[in-house]
Amino acid sequence: MARALRIAIPVLLAGLALWYASYLTTIVVWELRKILSWLFVPLLAAAFAALPWLVARRVGRGERGPGSGTAAAAFGCLGAVIGLGVMVCWWAYSAYLQDRAYMEGSRIVTGPVPEVAARAPYLVGAAQAAPHLGDVTGEIFDITYLPDSDKFATLVERRGWLAGYEVGLVQDIPLGGDGRSRQRCQFDVGAADARVGGWFTHNLGRKISAEKRGVRFDAEDVYVTCSDETPIVVVPLKRQTGILVVTERPAGLALYNGRTGKLTISADTSAVPGPSYPMSIAVRQREATAAVGSFADWWFERSGWDASEDGANEGNESEFALQYRDGSGRGAYVTPLTPQGEASSVVAVSMVPTRHRGGGLAPMTVHRLKPTWPSPEAIVALIKAEYRDVCCYNDDMVFEVVPTGGSTWTATIGSKQNIRYRVEGRGQVAGREATCLKAADGVLIRCAHAAPGSPEEKELKRREQQKQKDESPKPARNPGDLSDYSTEELAELHRRVSEEVGRRLKDG
């Protein structure tokens, strides 16, 4: 009894310590759950495969014949081969099942892409954050576009091992115009001293696990907002579901007050003016489109789509956070998709809402394009060829090429500090409706090809007619017929005659 207590008490204390260390246990449970989902079926198969070996071994012990050991060894080898084969097959098939689980609720449609508004490129938002931080000495941790308010949010870490965040910056970066607003909110470094990846009690993940066990988050999903002068760090949370096939689901929000250091767990997605659905889950849903077909299609990569990664959209190649153009303030993660393989043309666009209520997956919609688009790299090459007078010299460059609804795409041109132009196009670059150059604020300048019946063609025709009207010579007017003069012209003529008569009388 005493020996049992000597073993049981340390084990119990160790278990209580692990239970108290909620952050560590959450990580351990998450990783073990993934590993066990991969190993459960292979271990079960190995157990069944080892059963004949155990039976043969036991029978061999009873008979003690010359061939009993050989039979047991043969059964053991057979069981090992079966177990190894099941393990390899299960690992492959479980990955397919996991992708299928992430495809739950997804739709593949052929209708037009909903219209979304163009925004300043991600690289521009990142470049314009640093000059507006003032005397801040910290390091930029994250830059996030908030589609609900059409602004960029920047979160800055305070230097030091046992420090939290220093400041939050929310700025408006319009594509056109000089009107820019920005708001800086300072953290109370004494009261709010936790951050993502911090040390010991300064770890924000540890504080979240103390409030709610079993949830985790991705650091790339974290961003900051400013509520008046108070910075709020927003952490979209995730939970695990499933036993044999383990996947992640949204689990609400963690809101960290940068003034008081108070942490609040909320299921209300309207509590923040930015994305509440984890972008990391949206990425996983988009990657799971590879399982849209059968297992054989998934294995040989004959189905599904990939994000376009030709280098044209440097810094942000997928999951563009964009705002719908319907004025609702809603946003979506939008990604141009190419087929798996060597093809680089954009054949579909995936959309996942940035806001979602409940603990299930947000609905993902994949819009098949007809006609398809060229690759973003080909679009950049076309812009440089057709608009060489505006692109690209000095520090100017073509930034993001993003889908903006219907069958249109938009590329922005300029420097990181000044967006000067945008190029809008439809479909293939070889078509008559290829591209139109506009000012950053959307005013049409000219078109390489204007589609028949398009708004751009109508605007260009109107301008040409107005130009011809302005340049055409006015018909000669009979100076003796005063009825041809308008009221304003007649009044101006009377004024000039009166002034001339007065001048002559004065001169004598």
Side-chain angles (χ1 to χ4, degrees):
M1 183 67 179
R3 183 179 179 183
L5 288 176
R6 284 198 301 270
I7 297 175
I9 291 176
V11 171
L12 180 62
L13 291 176
L16 290 175
L18 289 175
W19 176 253
Y20 179 76
S22 56
Y23 181 59
L24 177 61
T25 54
T26 298
I27 296 175
V28 171
V29 169
W30 270 63
E31 299 306 321
L32 284 178
R33 192 166 178 177
K34 294 178 184 177
I35 295 173
L36 291 177
S37 67
W38 295 337
L39 296 180
F40 180 77
V41 172
L43 289 175
L44 188 63
F48 279 108
L51 186 61
W53 176 77
L54 294 174
V55 172
R57 184 178 177 87
R58 188 167 185 84
V59 171
R61 284 181 178 179
E63 297 180 353
R64 295 185 181 278
S68 59
T70 304
F75 277 119
C77 291
L78 179 62
V81 170
I82 294 175
L84 183 61
V86 171
M87 180 180 295
V88 173
C89 293
W90 171 247
W91 283 351
Y93 192 64
S94 64
Y96 170 72
L97 292 179
Q98 192 176 59
D99 282 351
R100 292 293 298 179
Y102 278 110
M103 284 287 292
E104 175 188 339
S106 300
R107 297 186 305 133
I108 301 175
V109 300
T110 56
V113 181
E115 291 190 351
V116 290
R119 58 158 173 78
Y122 176 81
L123 287 181
V124 174
Q128 296 195 15
H132 298 146
L133 290 176
D135 59 352
V136 174
T137 60
E139 302 288 342
I140 293 179
F141 169 77
D142 174 80
I143 296 175
T144 300
Y145 176 70
L146 310 179
D148 302 71
S149 56
D150 190 23
K151 294 181 179 180
F152 282 86
T154 304
L155 181 60
V156 180
E157 286 184 347
R158 183 174 172 81
R159 292 173 182 259
W161 289 359
L162 305 178
Y165 296 108
E166 186 170 356
V167 69
L169 174 68
V170 179
Q171 54 181 344
D172 178 25
I173 307 178
L175 272 175
D178 299 327
R180 296 178 178 178
S181 63
R182 65 186 67 93
Q183 182 181 13
R184 221 175 88 167
C185 43
Q186 198 79 27
F187 282 78
D188 187 330
V189 297
D193 58 356
R195 71 185 187 198
V196 174
W199 289 61
F200 307 114
T201 57
H202 301 274
N203 190 305
L204 185 57
R206 189 181 301 276
K207 292 181 178 293
I208 292 174
S209 296
E211 291 289 330
K212 186 175 182 180
R213 295 177 183 270
V215 296
R216 294 188 71 184
F217 59 89
D218 194 302
E220 294 183 355
D221 296 334
V222 179
Y223 63 93
V224 68
T225 64
C226 292
S227 177
D228 295 329
E229 298 296 326
T230 302
I232 304 294
V233 180
V234 182
V235 185
L237 302 176
K238 302 186 290 185
R239 61 186 176 89
Q240 282 183 327
T241 61
I243 299 176
L244 294 181
V245 179
V246 178
T247 57
E248 296 177 350
R249 297 291 188 274
L253 302 169
L255 306 177
Y256 184 61
N257 190 302
R259 290 288 187 181
T260 63
K262 181 182 178 181
L263 181 70
T264 305
I265 306 296
S266 175
D268 183 11
T269 59
S270 62
V272 293
S276 63
Y277 190 72
M279 186 174 68
S280 56
I281 296 183
V283 172
R284 189 65 186 86
Q285 288 180 263
R286 187 254 306 161
E287 294 174 344
T289 57
V292 70
S294 64
F295 174 73
D297 292 335
W298 175 86
W299 177 259
F300 292 105
E301 297 183 352
R302 297 185 305 224
S303 63
W305 303 273
D306 290 327
S308 177
E309 298 178 353
D310 57 10
N313 292 331
E314 181 184 354
N316 188 19
E317 295 179 333
S318 62
E319 278 68 49
F320 298 98
L322 301 174
Q323 187 183 68
Y324 284 103
R325 205 178 287 178
D326 57 6
S328 63
R330 299 178 299 119
Y333 299 118
V334 184
T335 303
L337 301 175
T338 63
Q340 295 201 66
E342 297 298 325
S344 60
S345 59
V346 177
V347 298
V349 173
S350 67
M351 303 188 75
V352 180
T354 57
R355 286 184 176 274
H356 179 64
R357 293 184 178 181
L361 293 174
M364 178 181 68
T365 305
V366 177
H367 299 267
R368 289 182 177 271
L369 298 176
K370 188 176 182 181
T372 60
W373 303 348
S375 66
E377 187 178 31
I379 293 176
V380 171
L382 175 79
I383 291 172
K384 291 181 178 180
E386 292 191 335
Y387 305 105
R388 62 184 62 186
D389 57 329
V390 300
C391 179
C392 295
Y393 51 89
N394 296 331
D395 294 330
D396 287 356
M397 59 182 294
V398 179
F399 289 101
E400 296 170 348
V401 180
V402 299
T404 50
S407 60
T408 63
W409 46 261
T410 299
T412 47
I413 302 175
S415 66
K416 293 181 180 180
Q417 299 298 332
N418 184 23
I419 298 299
R420 302 175 60 202
Y421 304 100
R422 69 171 79 172
V423 175
E424 295 181 358
R426 293 182 177 85
Q428 290 286 347
V429 296
R432 289 292 300 170
E433 64 275 23
T435 61
C436 285
L437 177 68
K438 297 183 178 182
D441 57 1
V443 177
L444 180 64
I445 298 176
R446 68 177 187 268
C447 291
H449 298 291
S454 66
E456 291 82 5
E457 184 196 39
K458 295 177 180 178
E459 174 63 17
L460 291 175
K461 285 184 177 179
R462 186 194 66 79
R463 291 185 183 183
E464 184 64 26
Q465 292 173 356
Q466 183 65 36
K467 182 180 179 181
Q468 293 176 356
K469 182 178 179 181
D470 294 340
E471 293 178 352
S472 60
K474 296 181 179 180
R477 177 182 297 163
N478 182 5
D481 188 2
L482 297 180
S483 63
D484 291 341
Y485 288 83
S486 64
T487 303
E488 292 78 7
E489 292 175 332
L490 196 60
E492 176 64 18
L493 181 63
H494 179 268
R495 183 187 66 80
R496 293 174 61 187
V497 169
S498 300
E499 289 179 353
E500 181 64 19
V501 171
R503 185 184 64 81
R504 295 187 180 187
L505 290 176
K506 183 178 179 181
D507 293 342

